Amino acid sequence: MTNHAVVLVGHGGVPADFPRAELTRLKSLEGRRQATGAAPSDEERALDEKLRAWPRTPSTDPYKTGFERLAAALAPRLGGATLHVAYNEFCAPTLRQAIERAIDEGAQVITVVPSMFTPGGVHSEVEIPAELDAVRPRFPHVTIRYAWPFDLALAADMLAAQIRSAAP
């Protein structure tokens, strides 16, 4: 058990076999809520939970499979910190659930990092920070850091290296 954990947050994807009518209804409810500023309805919460809990395979949710491969590549590079994955939407566990699990396992310091590194994205700039603001007061004994925004020079270096690796 380590006292440092990292939570890698991905966007999340909709599995190919999730009923489209239920997804359309969920997005409609979310849109209405966002427009009015109301709290999520029981129906919206139930549909969100159903979608997040939906069984997934590499063929029905290639995003989740790819994200888990990224996490597996990252884990040995964390200097002993434990790694948890979380999803912003569509998939479980949520960011809150991943943080709670890390704390249950003894983490005293949690670093949250999104896989989305482009500035201007609502998930990284608005939704994740808002969720962290909601979680921090529940765990005042835990330091929860947000490793964002990304250093764009480092991101550009990574992309340049990838481009070089694809060159003949």
Side-chain angles (χ1 to χ4, degrees):
M1 174 165 53
T2 180
N3 69 351
H4 184 208
V6 173
V7 177
L8 177 65
V9 185
H11 183 275
V14 177
D17 58 347
F18 188 78
R20 294 297 127 185
E22 291 181 79
L23 178 62
T24 300
R25 179 66 180 154
L26 174 60
K27 297 314 268 173
S28 172
L29 291 168
E30 287 176 347
R32 188 176 311 143
R33 173 180 47 81
Q34 290 168 351
T36 64
S41 67
D42 289 344
E43 181 184 10
E44 180 184 345
R45 277 194 288 279
L47 284 169
D48 182 68
E49 287 176 21
K50 181 176 182 177
L51 174 56
R52 286 180 183 270
W54 195 261
R56 293 153 197 267
T57 66
S59 62
T60 64
D61 190 351
Y63 176 86
K64 185 174 191 286
T65 300
F67 186 67
E68 289 173 352
R69 289 177 53 211
L70 172 62
L74 177 61
R77 293 169 165 82
L78 297 178
T82 58
L83 179 67
H84 299 268
V85 297
Y87 298 90
N88 198 61
E89 57 185 346
F90 307 131
C91 198
T94 65
L95 176 55
R96 182 178 304 232
Q97 290 167 336
I99 288 171
E100 289 171 349
R101 180 170 178 211
I103 292 169
D104 287 347
E105 292 177 2
Q108 295 295 310
V109 176
I110 299 173
T111 303
V112 175
V113 62
S115 64
M116 304 154 276
F117 59 85
T118 306
V122 70
H123 299 311
S124 296
E125 284 191 8
V126 178
E127 294 171 355
I128 294 170
E131 185 67 16
L132 295 176
D133 288 345
V135 168
R136 282 184 182 109
R138 293 184 48 220
F139 303 103
H141 62 287
V142 176
T143 301
I144 301 174
R145 303 181 301 208
Y146 188 36
W148 199 87
F150 280 83
D151 179 326
L152 293 181
L154 292 175
D157 286 346
M158 179 196 67
L159 292 171
Q162 182 66 20
I163 292 164
R164 285 190 300 276
S165 76

